Structures are given as structure tokens and as C-alpha cells.
Amino acid sequence: MNKNPELILLFSGKRKSGKDFITDLLLEKFDKELAVIIKISGPIKSYWAQTNNVALDELLSSGETKEQYRKDMIIWSEQLRNQDPGVFCRQAIEMYRAVQWPVWIVSDVRRKTDVEWFQNNYSGKVKTIRIEASEDSRKKRGWSFVSGVDDVASECDLDDYCGWDWIIHNDGDKSIDDPLTSIIACIQSVTQVP
């Protein structure tokens, strides 16, 4: 890698908690040359799209196609993660050509090993953010419990993690404003961008 990032923001949260909504909102606040959104699931979905003849943009969206394949993608990716916990972190950085940007917004951290990989490889540059939403809010966004999806590591491994720098409660009210303002200030202080 030619360039190290100045700041890496790791976002985590349950399905339909609003991770994509909040990370997209955050990215809109800055010049496109300052930050990039990285999805650890990107390489997984890319491989899955190629091997199953499915449109990649459908797997990357929040639609039904992704949900149709989610359980199988989890099982397959767990097998690779068991051999190399950082495999998809490295592939996602490469896939999104992240080395071009000083700020990385990782929108879908799901395991303690993801957090540890970034902290071990980019010491002192990582901030962690947990997005939380009530079950009622998540249901209104289309979530329903699926056995083998909502009760496995990809959804539950970070439930007991206590090292969050920020927690954002995203139930559709203004409660996201204060943490987002604080995160934006952190980006500005690290990158000296007004």
C-alpha cells in the first residue's frame, strides 16, 4: 500500500439499524477526495455474484436478492475467516482502492476480529462506532428475525463489545445529530479540513 489513512471509522450495527444510511450521510458532508466508504462484505458479495450469476449491485443493495443469499454467504465467508480473520478486510481495502483516500469509512464491521485487524494494522488511527436501533424501528425498515442469520457471529459477535468511541441511536429522530457532529469534528481535526 502506497499511503496509510489518517483516520479509519469502523461502523457496526444490526441488520436494518441504518449503517448504510448513516455512513452515506457522513460521506456527503465531505469532499469526495477526502473519504471513501469501504464494505467488508464487498469482496464476499463480488465473489458470490460471479459464482452464482447474480447482479452485484443487487447484492450490494438492501433489497431482497441480498437476503435470499445472505445465509449461504455467511457460511461460506466464515470458512475463509476461520483460516484468515483479515482476509476480507484486506480484500475490501484493495477492492475499493482505499489507499487513495485519507479517511476510510468502513460501513459493515461485524466481528471482533475485524476490529482487531484494523487496530493491529493501523494503530492509533481507528475509531469505532456502533449504530443501534430498536427492533420496532428495524421492523419498520423491513427487518424480521431469520434463524441462521440473526443469531450467528455475523450479527452477534460485537453485541458485547465495550470499546465503542461513539454509539449512535438511530430510531428516526434527531438523536444521530450529536454523535455525527462529534465524528465530523474528529475527521476535521485529523485531516485539517474545515
Side-chain angles (χ1 to χ4, degrees):
M1 293 181 199
N2 301 342
K3 182 178 175 185
N4 281 324
E6 294 175 36
L7 179 65
I8 301 173
L9 301 170
L10 303 180
F11 284 82
S12 172
K14 299 283 194 183
R15 290 192 307 132
K16 300 296 183 181
S17 62
K19 296 182 300 293
D20 288 335
F21 170 76
I22 289 176
T23 55
D24 288 346
L25 189 63
L26 185 61
L27 185 65
E28 287 174 12
K29 305 280 185 192
F30 292 98
D31 185 324
K32 299 290 187 223
E33 294 179 17
L34 179 69
V36 62
I37 292 178
I38 300 170
K39 296 178 184 288
I40 295 174
S41 64
I44 298 167
K45 292 172 182 174
S46 178
Y47 172 83
W48 208 255
Q50 291 171 4
T51 57
N52 292 281
N53 199 26
V54 178
L56 177 59
D57 60 340
E58 290 181 30
L59 290 178
L60 290 171
S61 75
S62 60
E64 286 302 310
T65 302
K66 176 173 71 175
E67 298 308 321
Q68 177 184 347
Y69 290 99
R70 184 184 292 272
K71 192 171 184 178
D72 291 332
M73 287 190 291
I74 290 169
I75 293 167
W76 173 79
S77 66
E78 286 299 327
Q79 293 169 348
L80 282 126
R81 276 191 177 93
N82 288 337
Q83 298 169 17
D84 177 1
V87 62
F88 296 116
C89 298
R90 284 191 309 278
Q91 288 180 5
I93 291 167
E94 186 176 317
M95 178 179 180
Y96 291 95
R97 297 181 176 97
V99 296
Q100 300 175 46
W101 287 272
V103 177
W104 298 356
I105 301 169
V106 183
S107 66
D108 60 348
V109 174
R110 295 187 173 273
R111 291 164 186 78
K112 292 179 184 86
T113 55
D114 295 338
V115 175
E116 290 165 6
W117 187 87
F118 279 101
Q119 289 175 333
N120 291 338
N121 286 280
Y122 299 96
S123 180
K125 297 182 178 185
V126 176
K127 297 289 185 186
T128 57
I129 303 100
R130 179 71 168 185
I131 309 296
E132 294 186 347
S134 68
E135 280 195 14
D136 285 344
S137 293
R138 294 169 59 215
K139 285 177 181 175
K140 288 175 186 171
R141 297 172 188 152
W143 175 80
S144 62
F145 180 86
V146 176
S147 181
V149 172
D150 291 296
D151 53 0
V152 297
S154 64
E155 286 298 312
C156 302
D157 193 45
L158 288 168
D159 287 356
D160 63 351
Y161 182 76
C162 298
W164 303 113
D165 292 294
W166 293 282
I167 296 175
I168 299 175
H169 298 279
N170 183 29
D171 285 314
D173 55 21
K174 294 287 187 183
S175 61
I176 67 170
D177 291 348
D178 287 342
L180 273 182
T181 300
S182 180
I183 294 167
I184 290 166
C186 177
I187 293 170
Q188 290 170 329
S189 71
V190 169
T191 60
Q192 270 82 63
V193 172

